[in-house]
Structure formats: C-alpha cells, structure tokens
Amino acid sequence: MATLHFTQNLIRHTQCPSGSLAAATVAQLFDRYFETWPAVRDYVLDNQGEVRHHVKVLVDGANIRDRRKLTDRLNPDSEVYVFQ
C-alpha cells in the first residue's frame, strides 16, 4: 500500500495523519484518503480537483507530473509527501 504523509505546515491547520492505502494513482490515493479525512481536501486540491499552486506533491522523491488529473502511477510501496 502507498503511504501518504503531510508536513507540519499542514498538520497545524487540520488533522491529517499519515495513512497507507491501496491505490494505483495519486488521484486514487487522495480520493481514498479524503473519504476518511474530508477536511484535508481543500488544503491540497482546489475547487477543480487540481493540486493548489502553493502545494507540492512528491512521489518517491520526485515531483508529480500531472497536477491536474493526478494520473501519476504509484507502486505498492510508494511514499507520497504533500508540502504546503
């Protein structure tokens, strides 16, 4: 399962614990995470479902390429970090 982590900058605004979820893409990972933690969505994605301009998302240490549809692929052991 891919693991999603958030930095302290975001944690101070809302509860967003790390979580491990089965997902093939960043979009699936976010969708599944936001089912449990819906308040986090607005800090990460805009009203179009795209990554906010001031947010950076890394998958296994590299910036995601698709900030709009979040189609970047994940490995079962991927580490995803969200920076605000």
Side-chain angles (χ1 to χ4, degrees):
M1 288 194 269
T3 303
L4 182 59
H5 305 279
F6 298 90
T7 62
Q8 289 293 23
N9 289 343
L10 188 56
I11 291 170
R12 70 182 171 160
H13 295 289
T14 188
Q15 283 189 314
C16 50
S18 294
S20 294
L21 303 151
T25 65
V26 172
Q28 287 179 350
L29 182 66
F30 282 166
D31 286 345
R32 291 178 181 157
Y33 185 86
F34 298 150
E35 286 175 5
T36 303
W37 301 98
V40 180
R41 185 188 189 286
D42 289 337
Y43 287 96
V44 178
L45 304 177
D46 64 18
N47 59 358
Q48 302 296 313
E50 298 175 7
V51 175
R52 291 189 173 278
H53 293 288
H54 63 280
V55 173
K56 185 174 189 173
V57 179
L58 302 178
V59 174
D60 299 327
N63 287 319
I64 61 170
R65 292 186 183 125
D66 184 1
R67 295 177 57 89
R68 291 186 175 165
K69 295 188 181 191
L70 309 170
T71 58
D72 293 70
R73 304 291 299 168
L74 301 175
N75 295 316
D77 61 346
S78 284
E79 296 283 333
V80 179
Y81 286 86
V82 177
F83 296 87
Q84 186 179 32

